Amino acid sequence: MRETPLMAVSMPDASGMANLTAAMLYASSGIHVFPVKVGSKIPATSHGQDDASADAAQIMNWWNGPRSANRNIGIACEPSGLFVVDIDIKLSLIHI
């Protein structure tokens, strides 16, 4: 287990960007990304998050082309130094 001090990190704002441009922005911030099949959460690589990279050439290869330009972006948290807590709240269960 790697000992890394906790710190607040904010994701770069990629709103409105093409997926390739957004993936390159994330990578330039040290975030390791991998392609995800369009409209799903299924990785588009053989080894999923284990294939994640911040290498510009690899990212260009994954998202460059008519069949791959719309792939979603997956983020590999551990190599990016991120710890994420995802809390889902069902609004129907909340009573005010």
Side-chain angles (χ1 to χ4, degrees):
M1 178 177 269
R2 169 171 89 168
E3 292 187 27
T4 306
L6 293 176
M7 62 183 174
V9 176
S10 96
M11 294 287 290
D13 184 8
S15 301
M17 292 183 181
N19 289 354
L20 171 59
T21 305
M24 295 293 276
L25 174 65
Y26 294 148
S28 71
S29 298
I31 297 170
H32 292 236
V33 299
F34 60 98
V36 177
K37 293 180 181 181
V38 177
S40 77
K41 294 182 179 182
I42 300 169
T45 65
S46 300
H47 302 102
Q49 69 179 10
D50 292 336
D51 289 331
S53 179
D55 178 70
Q58 178 62 66
I59 292 166
M60 289 288 290
N61 185 48
W62 281 333
W63 274 276
N64 203 9
R67 299 187 74 199
S68 57
N70 291 323
R71 288 176 170 170
N72 295 330
I73 302 170
I75 295 175
C77 295
E78 187 175 348
S80 301
L82 301 174
F83 177 82
V84 177
V85 176
D86 181 13
I87 301 172
D88 295 319
I89 298 173
K90 297 196 184 294
L91 295 178
S92 63
L93 298 178
I94 297 176
H95 300 287
I96 299 177

